[in-house]
Amino acid sequence: MAAKRDVRLTVNGVAYEASVEPRMTLVDMLRGELGLTGTHVGCEHGVCGACTVLMDGRAVRSCIMLAVQADGAEFMTVEGLASEAGELHPIQQAFIEERGLQCGFCTPGFMMTIHELLQETPDPTEEEIKDALGGAICRCTGYESILKSVRSAAKKLQALG
Amino acid sequence: MAFEFPKSLDDLPVSKVKWVGKPVNRVEDPQLVTGKTEFIDNVTLPGMLHCAILHSPHAHARIKSIDMSRAAALPGVVTTLTGEDAERWTRPMYTTPQGWGGYVLATDRVRFVGEPVAAVAATSRYIAEDALELIDVEYEPIDPIVDAFAAAQPDSPKVFEDHDDNIMYQRIFTWGEVEEAFQKADHVYKESFRWNRVGANPLETFGIISEWDIVEDSLTCRGSFQTPSFMAMGRAATFRLPSNKVRFIAQPHGGSFGGKGGGRGTDITLMLSRKAGGRPVKWIEDRMEYLSSGGSQAWDRHYDVSIAVKDDGTVTALRVKLLDDMGATAEGFGATGAVKPMASFTGCYAIPAAEYDLTLVATNKLPVSPYRGMGPPPHNFVLEQMMDIAARDLDLDPAEIRRRNFIPADQFPYIIASGNEYDSGEYEAALDKVLEMAGYEDLRREQEEARAEGRLVGIGVVSTIEPGVFDWNAYTVIGTAGIGIPEGVTVAIDTMGKITARVGFALEGQGQYTVITQLLAEYFGTELEDVRVVHVDNLSAPPNFGPGGSRLGVAITGAVLGAAQRLTEKLTKVAAKMFEVQPEDIELLDGMLRVKKVPESQLSVRNVAAIMLNRSDMLPPDVDPSPQATFAWTAPDRVEPDEQGRVKSYLTAANACHLVMVEIDPGTGKVEILKYYIADDCGTRLNPANVEGMIQGALAQGVGAALLEEYVYDDDGQLLTASFMDYLLPTIHEVPFPEKAALVTPSPFTPLGAKGAGESAIHTTPAAIMCAINDALLPLGVRAKEVPASPNRLWKLIQGASDQ
Ligand code: FES
Ligand code: FES
């Protein structure tokens, strides 16, 4: 076993410090060490997108990153979407209203990807939405309701300005 | 006493229906979108260990020796397990058909790549996986048996030495005068087809935490169980323990689609916990394990089909010969998928005679599992290709030949040749709806124009049945026991008037808790917020099975309405005493118990429940102070099958009609879906948004099955598609968003007229897409007979055509 390394990072505005083996994946650190279990693991080989989190604003797949690579970075996970008082984020509201989920296992990953998309492209076209989501898998919904969720979330966010 | 279930929404005790039948938001969702739902991998118990499983790298080999000593010595490893432990502590796995399996860990032989051979429990998953590399297994490889046809030969080498051959099951079912129909037919069409292995792939794999209390020999398992009570009974049998000492707690889970698997992982973690002095042992199956050794694979089929047809297109008989490759064992109920087509053997058609020549064969591949739809999707694929073949030869439009053969709307309930009864249907109406939505004639013109330009454009139009509300009697012929599947609920009203429903199944994605909430809020005239649904373990829950067989929506509706009625009877007695009238004089309406025709004499359900709990002085003598009731529902009028396997099995028959237009790129063989239309009739829709979501989800799985998904084994029995890089699931780019119409032909047999729903698109989509592909290929004179119609297959077909 290689010597442990210290990793310091910020998740949803909270600073964390952990001592991890260099081989530990980022998602195992988030879930196992920091107790942030809202990020899920669907494939552990970078294909499904369930483990997507935002690292310095960019969507990354936390199953194929090492925790030590995250040192110094700022993260956002699904736990960071709703307000501290429990008010849901417009993306979360949109998913509920448009039925963007069934089992909900893929949902945190999709929502983080959509968060990135709508930051950069507040009013995306259908093609832009599909391109953004084309690398993520949902086995339940057949995607139509996810697409609608994105449109609805975009409207809500724009209305908020 | 006999229960009268409300036959339609109008029969509910309300002046205006407020919740049921409406697309209300799901009660499940706020927790899910905030990442708070307790999926099994989110659960950590004190002292918990982590399991890793060593899988066989060989498709077929003798195990000469296993040496666990180096693994056991690794710091952090607490205990290890091999087939010897399994032999000592368990019975061989339960299989259907019986006698085709071994122990949960291989003993003397491995029979498929991925078969569990040994396991360890360690303080972390990382250490447990390190330990796997220190296990020394000496194998002596044996030639694997991979090809189903070769395996079915009498002189084939054998998967199981104690059997005479590899035939797990063989039987010819004959229904009606099949031979005569073929002799008298004006036309006989024959074709062979191949459906390659596909499977469920829920996004969450199987996971479990097992605890074996070594003092009282009791078990507690938490996990992503689709059918917790059923699994608990299995464990009691496997470990020869009293069944009330086996406790199963199902966590919410990330989908299942029948293929969650997990039987072996459950027993392995339990034995590890036992050896570790009772410490909890967690195992989360990883995706590669799921693909190669989990509940991932289904339907590996070789078909020979023929139909007898009259000049006018009437089909008089259907013969289906199926060789179904079960893989190495008959564990996990995969074989039921080969029998289920008997519940809708002749599809939407009034075909009077049919024959099913069924052979299940063992090979050195992963044992097959159930998958959404449970078997008819490949059957529908072959049946519908035959309809198109006949239509073409007889110069009939594909829609027309179907119309001519549909069971007419006035003939329901209708018993099909293979014995099941269809409750109701309007097949022609659904077809007409789809043709109208699509602008069928214009589409055909568009197709003609495209063809004239040399483009390969085709249209498929297919109607199917979704058998709903499964019953064990559908599977009696391959050895399952019992008739009826109770699904229960306990409904309780507390002193504050809030309602709690306790059920035995966990969240899985279909939105069933929402449906229960809608029903109870409606029945007792409350808001949705006043109702909560909780899952309780198998020892606390009323009899239950959980989701499966397109059954739960109907079954839980029956259970909820039954419990609500029972509870109302109690409340009624109390109210009657208060008003000094007879219970018959009291009625429930809009949440009030009132004296009939004296509307001012009324008490709310909430008040009566509070009186029951807090004023024993006001209780009638025959009422206990408990505003709760339990009811378990099962389908009525189910019996044993006759000698030809004919039986009323699935209670409902939903119907879907799909029309799809595709274009094939001759340069690449890639199929593009140009247009897609769906008319779906699953009776009363309790929550239309739930139904629509499941139709779209099943459509995506159907697109995957038709065009992308395939488990490929090489000649050595090695799985070549053990990752999502190789096993291709549809993404947002591949899945069409069809225009969808809802027809409602209520079931006369079920509470509120609902039918089993959620699978219809996987029954229909692969057949429809393959019909469209073959329509596109028509000018080339070639036929796609293999699923999935992947680009390489179609490209080769097209090349072959141009070589001729
Ligand atoms: S779990 Fe990371 S991409 Fe699938
Ligand atoms: S909602 Fe189940 S995988 Fe997307």
Side-chain angles (χ1 to χ4, degrees):
Chain A
M1 202 191 304
K4 291 196 172 184
R5 298 257 296 266
D6 289 341
V7 177
R8 285 180 193 79
L9 42 72
T10 311
V11 189
N12 306 324
V14 180
Y16 293 91
E17 207 181 312
S19 178
V20 302
E21 282 185 58
R23 65 175 174 172
M24 178 175 276
T25 61
L26 175 58
V27 72
D28 282 351
M29 172 169 169
L30 290 171
R31 293 177 48 83
E33 307 293 310
L34 310 186
L36 294 165
T37 51
T39 301
H40 300 147
V41 176
C43 71
E44 258 188 312
H45 54 263
V47 180
C48 74
C51 65
T52 304
V53 298
L54 298 183
M55 176 177 178
D56 298 326
R58 312 293 311 188
V60 297
R61 304 205 159 186
S62 59
C63 73
I64 47 168
M65 268 190 69
L66 296 171
V68 292
Q69 291 175 285
D71 192 30
E74 240 177 75
F75 287 89
M76 182 174 175
T77 65
V78 64
E79 288 91 346
L81 280 173
S83 76
E84 264 174 43
E87 198 192 328
L88 298 184
H89 188 279
I91 298 178
Q92 292 170 314
Q93 289 169 4
F95 264 76
I96 292 176
E97 288 160 17
E98 299 297 335
R99 298 302 196 97
L101 65 157
Q102 286 177 29
C103 80
F105 199 76
C106 69
T107 314
F110 270 96
M111 290 194 300
M112 299 324 287
T113 308
I114 292 161
H115 194 281
E116 182 192 39
L117 168 72
L118 296 182
Q119 289 278 314
E120 287 177 5
T121 318
D123 187 17
T125 63
E126 177 159 335
E127 270 330 289
E128 284 169 330
I129 298 172
K130 285 188 173 177
D131 280 346
L133 303 183
I137 288 167
C138 173
R139 190 57 160 166
C140 298
T141 62
Y143 304 105
E144 186 172 20
S145 60
I146 298 181
L147 186 103
K148 287 185 185 159
S149 303
V150 180
R151 286 207 188 108
S152 155
K155 279 211 192 81
K156 286 179 196 288
L157 284 165
Q158 279 177 307
L160 290 174
Chain B
M1 74 179 267
F3 261 77
E4 276 285 326
F5 290 101
K7 286 211 165 318
S8 77
L9 301 185
D10 297 336
D11 299 337
L12 289 166
V14 287
S15 35
K16 188 168 178 294
V17 176
K18 194 169 166 194
W19 306 118
V20 182
K22 308 278 192 299
V24 303
N25 286 347
R26 303 197 317 170
V27 300
E28 293 88 340
D29 289 351
Q31 288 259 306
L32 286 165
V33 298
T34 47
K36 291 205 173 67
T37 302
E38 273 217 330
F39 294 105
I40 182 63
D41 199 18
N42 299 359
V43 180
T44 302
L45 299 181
M48 189 173 83
L49 301 173
H50 298 264
C51 160
I53 297 173
L54 183 73
H55 300 274
S56 168
H58 298 285
H60 202 186
R62 247 179 292 283
I63 298 178
K64 294 181 72 181
S65 66
I66 304 181
D67 182 353
M68 301 296 286
S69 56
R70 291 198 303 140
L74 184 72
V77 171
V78 174
T79 191
T80 68
L81 199 73
T82 67
E84 272 181 27
D85 300 295
E87 261 179 316
R88 187 165 68 240
W89 284 337
T90 69
R91 293 196 173 129
M93 283 179 293
Y94 177 80
T95 67
T96 29
Q98 281 177 23
W100 287 90
Y103 290 91
V104 294
L105 286 163
T107 48
D108 54 334
R109 255 192 206 223
V110 289
R111 294 188 171 85
F112 61 94
V113 167
E115 180 165 1
V117 172
V120 301
T123 50
S124 84
R125 176 73 178 242
Y126 285 77
I127 296 173
E129 290 191 15
D130 289 344
L132 296 186
E133 298 189 11
L134 302 175
I135 299 173
D136 299 301
V137 187
E138 209 184 331
Y139 295 101
E140 185 184 297
I142 309 170
D143 278 345
I145 303 145
V146 180
D147 179 76
F149 287 105
Q153 295 303 315
D155 57 350
S156 166
K158 292 187 287 185
V159 177
F160 282 91
E161 285 301 311
D162 57 342
H163 282 280
D164 295 338
D165 51 34
N166 296 317
I167 306 298
M168 287 182 174
Y169 184 86
Q170 191 159 42
R171 187 163 170 192
I172 300 175
F173 298 93
T174 306
W175 305 303
E177 303 303 323
V178 180
E179 190 49 48
E180 193 188 318
F182 272 93
Q183 274 169 15
K184 289 191 180 157
D186 296 325
H187 309 269
V188 171
Y189 303 99
K190 286 188 182 103
E191 189 54 279
S192 301
F193 300 95
R194 170 83 172 112
W195 178 292
N196 288 287
R197 282 186 178 215
V198 295
N201 273 294
L203 202 59
E204 180 208 42
T205 53
F206 179 75
I208 186 164
I209 303 171
S210 292
E211 291 173 89
W212 188 304
D213 182 324
I214 56 167
V215 177
E216 63 160 27
D217 266 338
S218 67
L219 318 181
T220 304
C221 293
R222 293 169 177 78
S224 52
F225 315 123
Q226 182 177 344
T227 54
S229 298
F230 190 68
M231 282 187 85
M233 283 305 133
R235 268 47 277 160
T238 301
F239 293 108
R240 303 180 183 90
L241 288 173
S243 45
N244 57 4
K245 289 199 169 183
V246 182
R247 186 162 169 244
F248 263 59
I249 304 162
Q251 302 296 132
H253 44 283
S256 174
F257 314 113
K260 202 73 172 178
R264 292 198 192 220
T266 302
D267 295 345
I268 288 169
T269 47
L270 278 166
M271 286 188 282
L272 284 168
S273 173
R274 183 179 190 173
K275 286 184 96 172
R279 289 175 73 172
V281 176
K282 181 189 244 188
W283 179 61
I284 304 296
E285 180 181 51
D286 74 30
R287 180 59 58 181
M288 294 189 185
E289 286 181 300
Y290 177 77
L291 290 165
S292 61
S293 65
S296 50
Q297 305 187 10
W299 313 335
D300 190 347
R301 297 188 176 174
H302 304 264
Y303 280 103
D304 294 306
V305 191
S306 43
I307 52 173
V309 188
K310 288 204 248 177
D311 281 330
D312 66 358
T314 313
V315 181
T316 53
L318 165 67
R319 255 191 186 131
V320 177
K321 183 173 181 182
L322 169 59
L323 178 65
D324 202 349
D325 182 343
M326 294 283 105
T329 78
E331 68 192 82
F333 291 90
T336 52
V339 176
K340 177 164 171 191
M342 288 164 57
S344 56
F345 200 80
T346 40
C348 296
Y349 311 122
I351 303 175
E355 182 182 284
Y356 197 19
D357 180 343
L358 177 60
T359 302
L360 308 182
V361 66
T363 62
N364 291 118
K365 296 185 209 163
L366 177 64
V368 290
S369 289
Y371 177 31
R372 196 177 202 169
M374 276 290 282
H379 181 89
N380 296 342
F381 151 60
V382 304
L383 171 60
E384 296 299 326
Q385 301 319 299
M386 297 313 292
M387 296 304 283
D388 274 3
I389 288 169
R392 251 160 232 140
D393 187 59
L394 300 173
D395 213 12
L396 284 171
D397 186 273
E400 180 57 26
I401 193 169
R402 287 171 171 81
R403 191 188 296 280
R404 289 187 188 180
N405 283 284
F406 280 156
I407 300 165
D410 59 5
Q411 300 216 351
F412 292 92
Y414 182 90
I415 294 180
I416 60 171
S418 52
N420 194 23
E421 181 181 52
Y422 292 173
D423 53 348
S424 63
E426 295 264 6
Y427 307 152
E428 219 177 335
L431 174 67
D432 285 336
K433 181 76 205 166
V434 153
L435 297 181
E436 176 207 314
M437 280 195 295
Y440 187 55
E441 280 168 26
D442 290 343
L443 272 197
R444 284 288 179 200
R445 261 193 298 280
E446 257 180 65
Q447 181 192 21
E448 279 318 307
E449 286 161 25
R451 271 191 184 153
E453 294 166 18
R455 289 162 58 201
L456 301 177
V457 172
I459 296 169
V461 51
V462 163
S463 297
T464 67
I465 294 302
E466 171 183 1
V469 192
F470 107 92
D471 199 281
W472 285 121
N473 71 354
Y475 304 108
T476 310
V477 294
I478 51 155
T480 65
I483 295 168
I485 308 163
E487 191 70 45
V489 63
T490 299
V491 176
I493 305 180
D494 65 26
T495 205
M496 304 294 193
K498 301 296 175 194
I499 301 171
T500 305
R502 296 196 288 271
V503 295
F505 61 91
L507 294 184
E508 191 173 86
Q510 301 93 331
Q512 309 287 14
Y513 285 18
T514 303
V515 171
I516 296 170
T517 304
Q518 289 171 270
L519 288 164
L520 285 171
E522 194 77 71
Y523 202 97
F524 291 114
T526 71
E527 299 299 310
L528 295 175
E529 294 74 40
D530 296 321
V531 180
R532 186 158 188 214
V533 184
V534 295
H535 160 259
V536 291
D537 67 48
N538 63 306
L539 299 180
S540 322
N544 70 89
F545 182 78
S550 222
R551 166 186 157 280
L552 191 57
V554 172
I556 202 67
T557 299
V560 166
L561 293 173
Q565 190 178 325
R566 274 205 175 136
L567 182 46
T568 303
E569 279 161 21
K570 278 194 186 185
L571 298 168
T572 299
K573 284 184 183 168
V574 178
K577 178 155 191 249
M578 306 283 301
F579 291 120
E580 296 175 353
V581 296
Q582 294 304 308
E584 307 79 80
D585 299 328
I586 300 282
E587 66 180 358
L588 171 69
L589 190 75
D590 297 331
M592 304 303 280
L593 290 150
R594 59 182 204 183
V595 180
K596 285 180 195 165
K597 303 197 191 93
V598 192
E600 43 311 342
S601 298
Q602 57 175 16
L603 274 169
S604 68
V605 164
R606 170 191 172 150
N607 280 343
V608 177
I611 288 165
M612 286 177 79
L613 289 163
N614 302 301
R615 290 297 301 268
S616 61
D617 56 323
M618 294 184 175
L619 279 186
D622 61 337
V623 177
D624 62 338
S626 169
Q628 309 200 353
T630 297
F631 191 90
W633 184 90
T634 191
D637 304 327
R638 305 297 96 179
V639 295
E640 285 183 353
D642 72 7
E643 77 294 343
Q644 283 300 323
R646 282 176 291 224
V647 67
K648 292 181 186 179
S649 54
Y650 283 69
L651 182 69
T652 65
N655 161 237
C657 182
H658 289 205
L659 189 151
V660 54
M661 185 180 206
V662 304
E663 174 158 13
I664 309 170
D665 180 340
T668 62
K670 189 166 183 287
V671 173
E672 192 189 342
I673 295 171
L674 304 177
K675 297 197 169 147
Y676 208 121
Y677 305 89
I678 294 178
D680 196 280
D681 184 352
C682 54
T684 306
R685 296 183 170 197
L686 302 168
N687 185 320
N690 283 7
V691 174
E692 296 241 331
M694 286 192 283
I695 291 172
Q696 179 65 22
L699 165 84
Q701 290 175 328
V703 169
L707 299 175
L708 300 164
E709 299 179 33
E710 177 177 4
Y711 289 99
V712 182
Y713 281 88
D714 72 8
D715 294 343
D716 295 324
Q718 291 291 336
L719 180 64
L720 304 180
T721 50
S723 82
F724 278 170
M725 246 91 84
D726 309 297
Y727 187 83
L728 304 177
L729 296 173
T731 73
I732 197 168
H733 290 297
E734 286 83 37
V735 182
F737 302 151
E739 195 181 314
K740 300 186 187 84
L743 284 79
V744 178
T745 310
S747 172
F749 300 151
T750 65
L752 304 182
K755 297 188 180 190
E759 293 176 346
S760 64
I762 198 166
H763 287 298
T764 322
T765 302
I769 291 178
M770 292 307 292
C771 284
I773 287 172
N774 278 319
D775 191 39
L777 292 173
L778 203 60
L780 301 182
V782 290
R783 193 176 282 161
K785 296 181 284 189
E786 189 163 359
V787 165
S790 50
N792 58 327
R793 285 206 178 98
L794 289 185
W795 185 81
K796 275 190 210 152
L797 253 186
I798 295 166
Q799 292 301 307
S802 47
D803 288 351
Q804 277 163 18

